[in-house]
Amino acid sequence: AVEAEKQLRLLNDRNTDAYLTRIITRLAAYAPGAKYPYQIKAVNAAEVNAFALPGGPMYVYRGLLETARSEGELAGVLAHEMSHVALRHGTHQSSKAYLAQSGLGILGGLLGKSAGTSNIVNAIGGVGLNVMFLKFSRDDEYQADLVGAQIMARAGYDPLAMASLFELLRSQQTTNPSKVEQFLSDHPSSADREARIRTQAASLGGGRTSVLGGFDAIRSRVRGLPASGVKQVVAQSNISPGLDTLVGGQVVARVDPPSSRFLRFEQPASFFTIDYPDNWTAYPSGLAVSMAPEGGVITRSDGRQVMLYGVIVNHYAPFAGAQDRWRGSAQRSYVPFEDRTTPPAALQDATDDLVSTILSSNSYLSAEAGPARDERIDAAPGFSVLMTGISPVTGEEERVTLHTRGLPDGHVVYVLFTVPGRGYDAMQPTFARMLRTLVVNDDAAHRVAANSPPRRRQ
């Protein structure tokens, strides 16, 4: 919530927030799961949107307040967003995307401190504290629709109002696309969503309506308040504009060539070892480590740091069943394994999931055409996928290479190499040597994070 409110301009209208609080208090009394302290604030933005964060913070844009035709339609969106919280969809997504408490994150971006250094909070250029947990699967959206309809019915709202607002917003895709594009992006539309809600509403006894009252007055009040004039987007852009120190339109970062002398990093729980140039610094955290040269990590004006040159080694554990993950893969426009007629093997599936997560979190990147390349990494099967794009930090080409190596229990060790395109060829010998030195202990415990300091030797 703190990060979101740094990006958002709140409406800060006491009457509007009080009215919204009355609605979510009523809905929360019938929400399943834990009794989270739901709170809500209005955002001064013309776009139609609403979102909720894990644990209960909720936000509704003035564009939705101005567009909804009734309290029931507004409550329908809020019940849908509340359902994502109650069902822990966002918690699942953030666990999958970040190092977090368990050390099992995909991008390995939240890494610890070393003496005399600041935290590295971005794993690869452009990957920051984006709100990955606002992006849900189609199944999650279906579930939030159905549970939201149940909440509405129990709270006294007609669940058909949720379907009627979704129908209205979908119709505005052609008449006013800029106003609804973010909502429809965050809430992927499908042909049968509204039909599903209507069917659910019928089974719940749709048609009953009991509202708090005051919607028309609040909508009129919001329409009369000054607009911010700024389009506000959360989770769609990983890098906020205007925060980096630029010279000639590009970030200045001076990086010395990698040394030919290497040190060895040993993960504290003896999970893996890897060699790295002795003029680089290793930033360990739990099961992960980031390694970067001086100048390879730049500090933005907001205090966050971005890795432009460097390497991440981390661990990944699948979070869902294989069949569910395969069905999700088959819905995507890109997977590194093009044969979708049968579920892929565990390592193929994990590689696909990692690539898709990186691409969805970093819209400027795209994966090279064709299937993933087969590799042998530390005498075990592996894959690699190259992703490229124009970095929003530097304005120049960035290349990110993902390497995956399977573990006997279906988990994965992965390595991310990141470098600007102009330095790709020069860095390849160093990256190749580092990958050759990766040694993984398949028998080491890798389900918990270790926090002891790293050990280095020549």
Side-chain angles (χ1 to χ4, degrees):
V2 172
E3 292 298 319
E5 291 180 22
K6 287 179 181 178
Q7 301 178 48
L8 299 171
R9 293 191 181 184
L10 299 179
L11 194 63
N12 290 321
D13 181 69
R14 182 179 302 176
N15 290 351
T16 302
D17 287 344
Y19 174 69
L20 293 170
T21 298
R22 290 171 62 205
I23 295 177
I24 67 165
T25 299
R26 183 176 182 180
L27 295 172
Y30 301 93
K35 297 302 179 183
Y36 295 110
Y38 293 99
Q39 301 176 31
I40 191 165
K41 296 179 181 179
V43 177
N44 191 10
E47 295 79 48
V48 172
N49 202 18
F51 66 90
L53 302 178
M58 300 177 66
Y59 300 87
V60 58
Y61 287 29
R62 68 179 294 162
L64 178 59
L65 295 170
E66 295 170 344
T67 301
R69 296 167 294 192
S70 67
E71 181 180 307
E73 288 188 342
L74 173 61
V77 175
L78 300 183
H80 172 96
E81 299 300 334
M82 183 176 288
S83 295
H84 283 309
V85 177
L87 296 168
R88 296 177 58 80
H89 290 159
T91 304
H92 172 84
Q93 289 294 84
S94 58
S95 296
K96 189 177 179 182
Y98 294 107
L99 198 54
Q101 292 93 339
S102 66
L104 299 179
I106 287 177
L107 298 179
L110 303 182
L111 304 186
K113 294 182 179 180
S114 295
T117 69
S118 301
N119 285 351
I120 293 183
V121 297
N122 291 309
I124 57 177
V127 179
L129 295 176
N130 55 59
V131 193
M132 179 66 188
F133 40 67
L134 298 186
K135 290 294 188 182
F136 302 118
S137 69
R138 181 174 298 182
D139 287 344
D140 285 347
E141 294 293 349
Y142 283 150
Q143 191 178 22
D145 287 345
L146 298 181
V147 173
Q150 294 169 357
I151 292 173
M152 291 182 71
R154 293 166 184 162
Y157 291 108
D158 182 356
L160 284 170
M162 182 193 296
S164 69
L165 181 62
F166 286 169
E167 182 180 31
L168 171 65
L169 298 182
R170 189 162 53 85
S171 70
Q172 292 192 357
Q173 273 187 287
T174 55
T175 59
N176 197 0
S178 64
K179 191 169 185 176
V180 299
E181 63 181 354
Q182 186 181 348
F183 183 89
L184 295 177
S185 172
D186 289 345
H187 305 78
S189 179
S190 63
D192 59 349
R193 279 187 74 192
E194 292 159 23
R196 285 171 177 252
I197 297 172
R198 294 185 189 280
T199 300
Q200 178 77 356
S203 70
L204 295 170
R208 296 176 289 106
T209 301
S210 174
V211 299
L212 297 171
F215 172 79
D216 291 337
I218 289 296
R219 183 175 58 179
S220 297
R221 178 181 180 84
V222 170
R223 287 174 173 172
L225 293 173
S228 70
V230 177
K231 184 174 182 178
Q232 302 190 38
V233 178
V234 172
Q236 300 304 306
S237 175
N238 297 319
I239 299 295
S240 301
L243 295 178
D244 297 301
T245 301
L246 302 177
V247 175
Q250 296 196 3
V251 176
V252 175
R254 301 189 179 278
V255 179
D256 291 334
S259 171
S260 60
R261 293 173 57 85
F262 275 53
L263 301 174
R264 178 154 298 168
F265 172 83
E266 182 174 347
Q267 196 277 331
S270 299
F271 179 33
F272 64 84
T273 61
I274 188 171
D275 294 356
Y276 65 99
D278 68 0
N279 60 343
W280 287 23
T281 301
Y283 303 86
S285 179
L287 295 170
V289 63
S290 284
M291 294 164 284
E294 183 71 24
V297 178
I298 64 164
T299 302
R300 307 188 320 174
S301 61
D302 64 352
R304 293 184 184 178
Q305 295 172 303
V306 178
M307 180 183 287
L308 303 179
Y309 295 80
V311 177
I312 305 292
V313 185
N314 201 5
H315 163 267
Y316 166 67
F319 280 78
Q323 289 289 335
D324 290 340
R325 295 195 307 277
W326 174 66
R327 284 193 292 266
S329 297
Q331 295 173 5
R332 292 193 282 267
S333 59
Y334 167 82
V335 291
F337 306 96
E338 300 300 335
D339 179 8
R340 304 188 211 178
T341 58
T342 57
L347 182 56
Q348 293 175 321
D349 180 54
T351 303
D352 165 55
D353 196 38
L354 284 162
V355 171
S356 299
T357 299
I358 294 171
L359 296 180
S360 64
S361 301
N362 304 274
S363 58
Y364 67 94
L365 289 175
S366 60
E368 65 177 347
R373 294 183 296 277
D374 291 288
E375 291 192 5
R376 297 292 294 182
I377 301 174
D378 185 26
F383 294 105
S384 65
V385 177
L386 174 65
M387 291 159 278
T388 62
I390 303 302
S391 167
V393 180
T394 66
E396 62 178 327
E397 183 192 27
E398 178 176 276
R399 297 192 179 190
V400 179
T401 308
L402 170 70
H403 300 264
T404 58
R405 178 205 186 272
L407 295 167
D409 60 357
H411 292 197
V412 172
V413 174
Y414 66 89
V415 184
L416 280 171
F417 295 115
T418 301
V419 65
R422 56 183 168 77
Y424 183 78
D425 291 339
M427 291 293 293
Q428 279 310 293
T430 297
F431 289 162
R433 178 175 173 181
M434 294 179 70
L435 192 63
R436 286 196 304 270
T437 65
L438 176 66
V439 177
V440 180
N441 182 353
D442 290 329
D443 298 322
H446 51 263
R447 296 177 182 271
V448 296
N451 295 305
S452 56
R455 287 173 283 173
R456 304 180 190 175
R457 63 178 182 268
Q458 292 292 112

